[in-house]
Amino acid sequence: DTGVSQDPRHKITKRGQNVTFRCDPISEHNRLYWYRQTLGQGPEFLTYFQNEAQLEKSRLLSDRFSAERPKGSFSTLEIQRTEQGDSAMYLCASSSQNYEQYFGPGTRLTVT
Amino acid sequence: GENVEQHPSTLSVQEGDSAVIKCTYSDSASNYFPWYKQELGKRPQLIIDIRSNVGEKKDQRIAVTLNKTAKHFSLHITETQPEDSAVYFCAATLYGNNRLAFGKGNQVVVIP
């Protein structure tokens, strides 16, 4: 499968715990995006990388969220001190220079 | 996102009829407009897109039209089939970069 992959697919955690998600983009894509989607809503932009550089972060992204793409390939998204409001589907997408973004299957986070 | 709006929120059509979903955007710098289809529990799937230098694009039963003056673009599905039933999201690039702002989605139900 040469599409975008994400791991884990599901994560249940207790409030206050830290969680980390991984995204592997399509291999030739240099751009990687993180979105969050809640029920009945469209994906909401979180942050964006071009190669290893994090070029943009949404102002909605609190300090508890951090993302990395250390070698310009896979990326990780960490949420510290999780809150119930963090429960959502976290989607990763990748693109080349032509804007077309392809999504991964997502990681569904449930904070109890 | 607040910059992109979709109408109607739910659309029911008889199998074989056409479906049209309209999307409006506010950022005059937007230059790329994709449509995504999302089935329940699955990732958003890119089905068609259009760039600001083109007024219309067609791919088999799906077409997208863009009116830059009025800042709206529409998805047209002809000869609808039950497998077209899904949530459809429009999106637009923001502030001249790769960030996508999504609408809230339209639930399309094709009645056999």
Side-chain angles (χ1 to χ4, degrees):
Chain A
D1 186 357
T2 57
V4 179
S5 61
Q6 293 186 245
D7 183 73
R9 298 289 305 276
H10 303 273
K11 179 70 177 179
I12 300 173
T13 191
K14 292 185 177 180
R15 189 178 53 179
Q17 298 295 304
N18 299 344
V19 293
T20 300
F21 309 142
R22 176 179 169 127
C23 171
D24 286 88
I26 294 171
S27 58
E28 61 267 27
H29 286 179
N30 63 341
R31 294 173 179 172
L32 187 148
Y33 312 79
W34 284 99
Y35 292 87
R36 177 171 60 192
Q37 187 177 27
T38 54
L39 195 63
Q41 301 294 317
E44 176 187 36
F45 172 81
L46 295 178
T47 190
Y48 149 57
F49 291 85
Q50 181 162 307
N51 300 313
E52 65 275 8
Q54 188 173 17
L55 297 187
E56 193 172 355
K57 288 174 63 174
S58 168
R59 63 178 183 273
L60 301 175
L61 206 63
S62 81
D63 292 342
R64 298 184 296 106
F65 287 70
S66 62
E68 293 183 342
R69 195 183 184 198
K71 298 182 180 179
S73 56
F74 73 91
S75 175
T76 57
L77 177 69
E78 181 183 16
I79 309 174
Q80 296 182 326
R81 304 181 302 283
T82 52
E83 302 173 356
Q84 287 188 322
D86 297 332
S87 295
M89 176 73 83
Y90 289 84
L91 292 163
C92 175
S94 70
S95 76
S96 60
Q97 303 287 102
N98 66 0
Y99 289 121
E100 296 174 9
Q101 295 185 25
Y102 296 91
F103 281 88
T107 295
R108 181 168 296 283
L109 173 66
T110 302
V111 182
T112 62
Chain B
E2 66 273 13
N3 296 291
V4 178
E5 294 187 5
Q6 293 184 235
H7 306 278
S9 59
T10 304
L11 178 63
S12 295
V13 295
Q14 288 292 138
E15 181 177 357
D17 288 350
S18 295
V20 181
I21 306 169
K22 182 177 176 179
C23 195
T24 58
Y25 62 97
S26 59
D27 182 9
S28 57
S30 296
N31 58 1
Y32 173 69
F33 308 91
W35 283 93
Y36 286 83
K37 175 184 180 182
Q38 189 172 32
E39 297 174 83
L40 191 62
K42 296 192 175 180
R43 74 186 77 188
Q45 178 190 2
L46 178 65
I47 56 171
I48 196 167
D49 57 15
I50 193 166
R51 298 170 200 277
S52 57
N53 58 348
V54 176
E56 182 174 0
K57 183 177 178 180
K58 189 174 181 180
D59 182 3
Q60 299 182 356
R61 297 186 298 108
I62 294 173
V64 55
T65 56
L66 171 65
N67 183 327
K68 285 202 69 180
T69 303
K71 294 183 185 173
H72 67 72
F73 57 110
S74 299
L75 177 70
H76 305 253
I77 308 173
T78 58
E79 300 171 23
T80 53
Q81 301 168 5
E83 53 264 37
D84 295 328
S85 296
V87 177
Y88 291 82
F89 292 98
C90 65
T93 49
L94 279 185
Y95 317 127
N97 62 27
N98 294 79
R99 169 201 283 228
L100 283 178
F102 283 81
K104 291 187 175 182
N106 295 97
Q107 175 76 57
V108 173
V109 178
V110 179
I111 303 166

